[in-house]
Amino acid sequence: MDLRQLLFFSTIAETSNLRRAAERLHISQPPLTVAIRKLEEELGVQLFERGAKGVRLTPAGKAALPAARSALVSADKVRLWSREGDRGERGALRIGFVGSSIFDLLPRLIPSFRARYPLVELSLEEATTHEMVPRLLAGTLDAALVRAPLLEHAAVDLAIIDHDELIAALPVSNPLADAERIDLSALAGETFVSLGRTSILRMTALKACHDAGFTPHIAQEVPQLSTVLCLVQSGLGVALVPSRVRTNIPAGVKLVHLDVAPSIETAVALSNLAAAPAAINFRSLAIELSADD
Amino acid sequence: MDLRQLLFFSTIAETSNLRRAAERLHISQPPLTVAIRKLEEELGVQLFERGAKGVRLTPAGKAALPAARSALVSADKVRLWSREGDRGERGALRIGFVGSSIFDLLPRLIPSFRARYPLVELSLEEATTHEMVPRLLAGTLDAALVRAPLLEHAAVDLAIIDHDELIAALPVSNPLADAERIDLSALAGETFVSLGRTSILRMTALKACHDAGFTPHIAQEVPQLSTVLCLVQSGLGVALVPSRVRTNIPAGVKLVHLDVAPSIETAVALSNLAAAPAAINFRSLAIELSADD
DNA sequence: TAAAAATACTCCATAGGTATTTTAT
DNA sequence: ATAAAATACCTATGGAGTATTTTTA
């Protein structure tokens, strides 16, 4: 049995006439006769009753016809879906993201992507930049929203899609909380709340402090940026956070600009080799949206 | 594209290795290479990444694989369904029935048939014996429950599946309603309620009356046996009905046996030529069930 | 260098064409 | 008598085999 025979079967069923079916199929009538009889022999069942005024489906033919049509439809889907998959318009896309992108970037990016590529099934996972790089290379992630500067990695392509700066998050109880702007060195004596050691955000903040002439005293390490803000709110310390969190700060936390604002950037990272088309589409869309701002 | 290529595609996807896939397919490796590349060329898309340690699905391949599998499953269904159709285990079956079979025969037959042939879609229509014969021959009915004696028709096969007798249905107000049994001639002076002129039940009843020496006065003609019983209940007249209605008589109607009981039979009728397998199964089941009584 | 895939070439099965016969109404 | 399907026969495409080469980790 092959798809050609099923197409013949379905066409004959529609025309009830071998000659007309042959016309529609752009072949002559004899090979149709041969092909359909061969199919019947293979199935061990008669599909048509032959008569002088054409052919009629037998009960066996009536029962088999929907399956034959469905096979033809599926074959068409092979054609369509393979092309869609090739263009990154269909398939699964696993995206990793750093926690801080949840405040601004992710909520803008994901709905746009879903709207433009509705057949791509997204799965999202939070992780740190350092965790995501090997996963991109291993192929367990297709794209990642990471913090740049990423230590340069030859096999990972970066496209910066968001520029931001660090800003001081202070509890309202802190005397500096009402300042218009402060110098980072003013925080030298404070206790700090920070993300874990592998976080690029933390590394950037630490470097800024060193540039300002002090080493911050980190009293608490937590994995999520939102937890950092909660601890600041509780008065446990101060923190340096991306200014984009401003849309989601809890009451009791004040954000104060720094005289010299350390910059921090978010990028889309893709594996240099073997980037999925859908991942490339994701990056293109992210770049496009970042240009809109 | 043909099913063979889709099977190759699916098998390679499962083994990630052309040689192993070739083994499973009982062919050698080179034709596999050729066939899958030909499929890729036809689709205009690469389905696998080739490497020294085997092959891996591309995003296009991942997207197309479910459709390919579905085509193969449908092809299997063509095999299965055509055989089921041929054995009368799948398909549509249009059954006609005379109204009186609704009281006893149909409620026993239909559930048994559905239980034994769950893939056959039944459609039921009430009609008279005389209406159903041409429809059997025209093929708009596959089987019919008819009243025998049917005027002999060469192209219709009859199998009697129920023997019954006529019985008098009287309103309780009728003085004869309390008799153990009566002679049909006792009803000579009554007004009768009856089915329409084409009904075999009516013809049988009329003949019985003539044999008993009188021509009944038919005051009302209605199409349904249940309506006949309602009119008897209302006191509009008496009727001769099959004794099987006893399970469904309304209050106010008494059934009284006749000294000489006219017999009336129900049969399964099939077109002699072109009887559908499912219709033959239906008849076999009906005969089987009638033997059980 | 070793395993896997690709290429080269041969053979044969079979799809499709034309001409013609058989069948059924 | 006529329209439709079946048969006969021919050609050529292409699928599968064996032997061998190329590729890549």
Side-chain angles (χ1 to χ4, degrees), chain A residues 18-19 29-30 33 37 50 52:
Chain A
L18 288 194
R19 194 183 39 75
Q29 169 260 316
T33 296
R37 197 183 42 216
R50 277 78 166 170

Side-chain angles (χ1 to χ4, degrees), chain B residues 194-214:
Chain B
S194 167
L195 295 180
R197 286 179 190 285
T198 64
S199 156
I200 298 229
L201 181 56
R202 171 191 174 124
M203 289 160 58
T204 306
L206 274 178
K207 181 167 179 303
C209 291
H210 289 143
D211 290 348
F214 71 101

Side-chain angles (χ1 to χ4, degrees), chain A:
Chain A
M1 179 175 10
D2 63 14
L3 288 169
R4 189 185 47 89
Q5 285 172 306
L6 297 182
L7 176 62
F8 289 1
F9 170 35
S10 155
T11 306
I12 297 171
E14 279 163 23
T15 59
S16 299
N17 180 300
L18 288 194
R19 194 183 39 75
R20 280 201 301 274
E23 271 173 33
R24 244 213 244 173
L25 293 163
H26 306 295
I27 61 170
S28 62
Q29 169 260 316
L32 241 196
T33 296
V34 173
I36 200 69
R37 197 183 42 216
K38 211 169 167 199
L39 177 59
E40 289 177 326
E41 274 164 22
E42 183 189 336
L43 295 175
V45 145
Q46 205 174 327
L47 297 171
F48 295 101
E49 309 261 12
R50 277 78 166 170
K53 57 185 200 304
V55 297
R56 264 179 26 234
L57 280 172
T58 60
K62 282 200 191 104
L65 185 57
R69 291 209 171 112
S70 150
L72 295 169
V73 167
S74 293
D76 277 335
K77 283 184 185 162
V78 170
R79 285 178 260 268
L80 181 63
W81 292 7
S82 65
R83 288 174 177 86
E84 287 177 344
D86 190 57
R87 292 194 300 258
E89 294 167 5
R90 173 181 291 273
L93 188 63
R94 291 153 305 176
I95 296 178
F97 59 94
V98 291
S100 51
S101 60
I102 226 173
F103 291 103
D104 183 65
L105 211 50
L106 215 55
R108 284 190 296 134
L109 203 43
I110 299 307
S112 298
F113 186 84
R114 298 191 69 108
R116 186 170 312 176
Y117 301 102
L119 303 177
V120 174
E121 198 178 319
L122 279 182
S123 47
L124 295 164
E125 301 179 47
E126 187 185 332
T128 67
T129 298
H130 286 293
E131 286 164 353
M132 291 190 278
V133 170
R135 294 196 52 193
L136 282 173
L137 299 174
T140 61
L141 273 184
D142 298 304
L145 296 176
V146 300
R147 283 285 166 211
L150 171 66
L151 55 158
E152 282 304 320
H153 198 298
V156 168
D157 264 352
L158 286 191
I160 293 183
I161 56 166
D162 189 57
H163 296 268
D164 195 10
E165 53 182 43
L166 293 188
I167 198 167
L170 309 177
V172 285
S173 56
N174 189 300
L176 295 171
D178 293 324
E180 180 68 29
R181 52 201 310 118
I182 59 174
D183 192 86
L184 180 49
S185 57
L187 298 177
E190 301 284 344
T191 61
F192 279 73
V193 181
S194 167
L195 295 181
R197 288 181 189 283
T198 64
S199 155
I200 298 231
L201 181 56
R202 171 191 173 123
M203 288 160 59
T204 308
L206 273 179
K207 181 167 178 304
C209 291
H210 288 144
D211 290 349
F214 70 100
T215 298
H217 170 234
I218 295 175
Q220 280 289 330
E221 279 180 17
V222 293
Q224 306 264 11
L225 199 50
S226 58
T227 316
V228 169
L229 293 171
C230 287
L231 295 185
V232 171
Q233 175 186 32
S234 312
L236 259 74
V238 303
L240 294 182
V241 298
S243 76
R244 299 273 185 236
V245 305
R246 79 165 58 85
T247 52
N248 286 68
I249 53 162
V253 175
K254 276 288 264 234
L255 297 181
V256 180
H257 282 280
L258 300 174
D259 285 338
V260 180
S263 74
I264 182 141
E265 289 157 337
T266 310
V268 176
L270 260 61
S271 165
N272 215 339
L273 347 108
I280 294 172
N281 288 342
F282 178 78
R283 178 174 61 187
S284 302
L285 181 63
I287 293 170
E288 189 182 312
L289 289 179
S290 77
D292 290 350
D293 306 330

